[in-house]
Amino acid sequence: MDISRTSDVWWKNAVFYCLDVETFQDGNGDGIGDFVGLARQVDYLAGLGVTCLWLMPFYPSPNRDDGYDIIDYYSVDPLLGNMGEFVEFVRTARDRGMRVIADLVVNHTSKEHPWFKSARSDRNSPYRDWYIWSDEIPEGGPSDLVFPDKENSNWEWDEEAGQYYLHRFYKHQPDLNIANPKVREEIRRIVGFWLEIGLSGFRVDAVPFLLETSGIERPMEIAPHDWLRDLRSFLGRRRGDAVLLGEVNLEYEAVRRFFGDESGDELHMCLNFNLNQALALVREDAGALVHNLRAMPSLPADAAWANFIRNHDEWSLDKLTEAERQEVFRAFGPKEDMQLFGRGLRRRLPTMLNGNQARIRMAYSLAFALPGAPVLFYGEEIGMAENLEIPGRMSVRAPMQWTTGPNGGFSTAPPDELCRPVVESKRWGPPKVNVADQQRDGDSLLNWMEHLIRRRRETPEIVFGAWSLVPVPQAAILALRHDWGERSVLTIHNLSGKSHRISFNPGQVASHGLVDLFGDGSFAVEKDGTVTIEVGGYDYRWFRIPRTDADTPA
């Protein structure tokens, strides 16, 4: 791809930042984050270097599932602000060079949604067929429980309706019936509405469940993936540069289907759950990463992976064997209250790595060096911890820590009126971990993260180029080369705490050697084409590879 075309596919080289409006910044002192507060922090986010803000649900909701239980798809929750304040925020973000996308949660609604209230009240309701009903729990229907700690069935009896309804998530979140063309039309209307308001796309929640037709008696006249293609086509007609980022936590072969055919006519991006596994960090061995990189399918030209360390849910270990999962639990979450569903961890990275700054920085450098676009979850840039006092998955969604002041600068409300308690640990609470202090500390994680983001934006080879593994003898070392036209970048990461002296052949390179992008000087190439460098424990190196002597900086 020529550099002149890269802006057409901006998502491939974006730096995404996911945040929950409710816990980011309170603008009116009621203890709940809002769009007024978020707008005040737009300059902070722009200064960090992120290029696309991903908003978790901000729609009206009973808030039994942190906003993923929606009662109105066409408005803003009054606790978070109003439509005018939302538009002002989006406009301000755009002025600072940042696009905004939002969660599209249309697999289910809240039980309190007017559609469901009408549907359950009368079998002749025009909304009855917007949900999935059955007189008895059908045999062969969906049986996989998303939340096995809370639910024991995907079917719930509704006394008012006189039937069971299907819910793949919580019982208070009945599934929508995508076999109904009116439901599909409504989803298009929701998408079109928010595009007109100013969004640049959507992170599509639980895509496999959205396309699942198991349990639906009515035949769907269009294949589920054809419907996803139709939605992608609609999105493109309404706004040509909008993106669909999908949550598809499946094996690689299955994930590839959600990108569409070779022209890429379904999702633009998918979160890369297969690379987001802890085994390599636990074992301090690059083998698991090498295996997953080699297993990654090729993507359509305009498609990309979205790589992340932590997201807003538990750190899912579902791709590991039970023995491997227990190995990770022992290293990163040995206590029962650190684990969730028997398959994941409800912790953030800094606490799992016991605050080891070298290891933390190596992990984020690695995530930014992998093929795809990096995704940050709010607070990662300052090394925020989880609050295990908050139940379940919400432990990683504590209020943002801005200052050493009361409530970490999140809100002026009394602590008992906050939407969620701040981290109170002496080591991880606001007095020790906050934005204001780190902005003044040149060696802080925050300032380092700004530097990393700048370097990543300056190395588009990582996403637009072809990547290859550079053979090295040490099991702890991962060396990746990215080639794009006449430009090349090499990244090296040491997953172990032990220093290594490594010799390798980086491929075609000028006689002046490699140019260090995070340090000074260059590394010479021997006559046999090899380069030898020292890599410290949990160290990382990024190099520009001049192809000819003329490409080497003076």
Side-chain angles (χ1 to χ4, degrees):
M1 177 179 291
D2 184 83
I3 196 169
S4 64
R5 294 181 54 212
T6 57
S7 62
D8 296 335
V9 287
W10 60 267
W11 52 86
K12 289 173 68 78
N13 197 39
V15 177
F16 292 87
Y17 187 98
C18 174
L19 64 90
D20 188 347
V21 178
E22 183 181 25
T23 56
F24 200 64
Q25 179 71 80
D26 177 10
N28 63 6
D30 65 354
I32 302 170
D34 47 45
F35 280 105
V36 170
L38 175 56
R40 291 175 186 168
Q41 299 297 349
V42 161
D43 289 319
Y44 162 76
L45 294 166
L48 182 59
V50 299
T51 62
C52 184
L53 302 177
W54 157 15
L55 305 183
M56 293 167 63
F58 53 83
Y59 318 100
S61 166
N63 213 20
R64 296 181 64 185
D65 186 23
D66 202 24
Y68 285 86
D69 47 332
I70 297 169
I71 60 173
D72 181 0
Y73 287 98
Y74 297 99
S75 188
V76 171
D77 192 311
L79 294 174
L80 307 181
N82 56 49
M83 289 295 290
E85 291 162 350
F86 173 84
V87 170
E88 288 175 353
F89 153 70
V90 172
R91 185 177 185 275
T92 304
R94 185 187 302 123
D95 176 70
R96 305 304 197 270
M98 293 182 291
R99 293 175 168 89
V100 180
I101 66 172
D103 268 341
L104 180 66
V105 188
V106 288
N107 162 257
H108 56 258
T109 70
S110 166
K111 279 183 66 174
E112 303 305 313
H113 196 293
W115 301 340
F116 188 76
K117 287 183 174 181
S118 173
R120 74 194 303 194
S121 67
D122 186 350
R123 293 197 181 207
N124 295 317
S125 164
Y127 294 103
R128 184 73 169 198
D129 196 32
W130 283 43
Y131 297 89
I132 302 157
W133 303 92
S134 180
D135 291 328
E136 297 179 349
I137 297 178
E139 295 183 5
S143 58
D144 49 328
L145 297 174
V146 177
F147 303 121
D149 65 327
K150 300 293 185 182
E151 305 295 343
N152 54 28
S153 173
N154 285 313
W155 294 91
E156 180 70 11
W157 176 259
D158 187 82
E159 196 66 40
E160 184 175 351
Q163 285 185 302
Y164 290 93
Y165 63 86
L166 179 65
H167 63 92
R168 290 180 175 84
F169 290 80
Y170 293 113
K171 62 172 63 77
H172 58 79
Q173 294 169 326
D175 279 15
L176 284 166
N177 179 11
I178 67 160
N180 185 338
K182 292 182 178 179
V183 171
R184 300 196 299 272
E185 178 64 29
E186 189 69 25
I187 293 173
R188 285 193 294 269
R189 187 173 293 113
I190 293 165
V191 167
F193 175 83
W194 289 105
L195 291 177
E196 287 295 321
I197 297 297
L199 290 186
S200 294
F202 303 88
R203 175 265 192 186
V204 189
D205 186 60
V207 186
F209 290 107
L210 177 61
L211 300 193
E212 178 61 60
T213 58
S214 175
I216 302 177
E217 292 184 1
R218 173 178 178 169
M220 190 168 175
E221 72 275 11
I222 181 173
H225 279 274
D226 287 339
W227 172 68
L228 187 56
R229 291 186 180 94
D230 180 70
L231 186 64
R232 160 75 178 264
S233 178
F234 172 84
L235 181 93
R237 291 194 303 272
R238 288 297 179 94
R239 179 166 178 169
D241 65 345
V243 66
L244 292 177
L245 165 61
E247 180 193 26
V248 186
N249 187 7
L250 300 172
E251 299 293 341
Y252 272 134
E253 183 178 352
V255 177
R256 177 60 183 83
R257 292 188 59 208
F258 289 83
F259 285 102
D261 60 24
E262 289 309 308
S263 64
D265 54 359
E266 294 186 41
L267 298 173
H268 299 83
M269 305 182 75
C270 284
L271 291 160
N272 198 342
F273 287 91
N274 287 277
L275 271 185
N276 180 246
Q277 298 297 332
L279 201 59
L281 286 176
V282 169
R283 293 179 174 175
E284 301 193 350
D285 187 313
L289 281 169
V290 170
H291 172 78
N292 279 306
L293 283 165
R294 286 175 172 162
M296 275 200 318
S298 59
L299 300 182
D302 292 347
W305 298 105
N307 299 316
F308 60 99
I309 294 287
R310 288 296 285 111
N311 63 8
H312 57 285
D313 286 328
E314 75 277 8
W315 193 350
S316 178
L317 308 174
D318 62 312
K319 302 294 187 298
L320 304 182
T321 66
E322 182 58 30
E324 291 170 338
R325 204 157 26 244
Q326 292 304 320
E327 184 180 351
V328 175
F329 283 157
R330 286 192 296 272
F332 289 164
K335 297 180 180 180
E336 188 174 345
D337 70 340
M338 298 174 177
Q339 303 167 16
L340 197 63
F341 309 139
R343 65 173 187 242
L345 290 161
R346 58 190 208 99
R347 308 187 75 193
R348 283 182 177 247
L349 186 70
T351 52
M352 288 191 286
L353 300 185
N354 197 30
N356 186 319
Q357 280 294 308
R359 204 174 180 191
I360 292 168
R361 296 181 190 201
M362 180 276 296
Y364 283 106
S365 172
L366 175 59
F368 274 61
L370 295 171
V375 181
L376 288 172
F377 184 50
Y378 77 92
E380 283 189 289
E381 71 274 20
I382 59 171
M384 260 183 67
E386 72 282 351
N387 184 348
L388 293 177
E389 298 301 315
I390 303 173
R393 298 173 299 151
M394 307 300 173
S395 61
V396 299
R397 307 181 198 177
M400 182 66 176
Q401 297 170 193
W402 296 102
T403 70
T404 60
N407 303 323
F410 162 70
S411 174
T412 58
D416 61 355
E417 294 182 10
L418 298 185
C419 60
R420 214 163 285 154
V422 299
V423 175
E424 294 184 352
S425 161
K426 291 182 179 180
R427 184 178 182 184
W428 303 104
K432 293 291 185 180
V433 179
N434 66 80
V435 170
D437 285 350
Q438 293 195 27
Q439 285 177 324
R440 296 188 291 268
D441 180 359
D443 295 326
S444 69
L445 180 62
L446 175 60
N447 278 303
W448 176 86
M449 192 71 76
E450 289 180 13
H451 190 193
L452 176 65
I453 291 173
R454 182 167 66 251
R455 280 288 179 261
R456 175 60 182 76
R457 294 283 293 165
E458 292 170 350
T459 51
E461 298 95 324
I462 291 175
V463 69
F464 294 119
W467 64 270
S468 58
L469 291 162
V470 177
V472 293
Q474 292 84 357
I477 304 295
L478 180 71
L480 281 173
R481 176 170 174 148
H482 301 267
D483 296 293
W484 182 41
E486 297 301 314
R487 305 170 59 155
S488 297
V489 165
L490 172 71
T491 61
I492 296 173
H493 291 83
N494 180 7
L495 276 72
S496 77
K498 179 182 177 181
S499 296
H500 292 282
R501 181 179 176 85
I502 61 174
S503 296
F504 58 94
N505 189 325
Q508 182 184 351
V509 59
S511 61
H512 288 299
L514 309 177
V515 178
D516 194 341
L517 296 178
F518 272 96
D520 297 323
S522 60
F523 292 79
V525 180
E526 304 296 334
K527 290 183 179 180
D528 62 357
T530 63
V531 174
T532 300
I533 65 173
E534 295 281 350
V535 184
Y538 303 127
D539 201 2
Y540 55 91
R541 309 301 281 270
W542 290 42
F543 298 106
R544 179 76 65 196
I545 305 178
R547 301 285 189 86
T548 67
D549 290 345
D551 296 331
T552 307

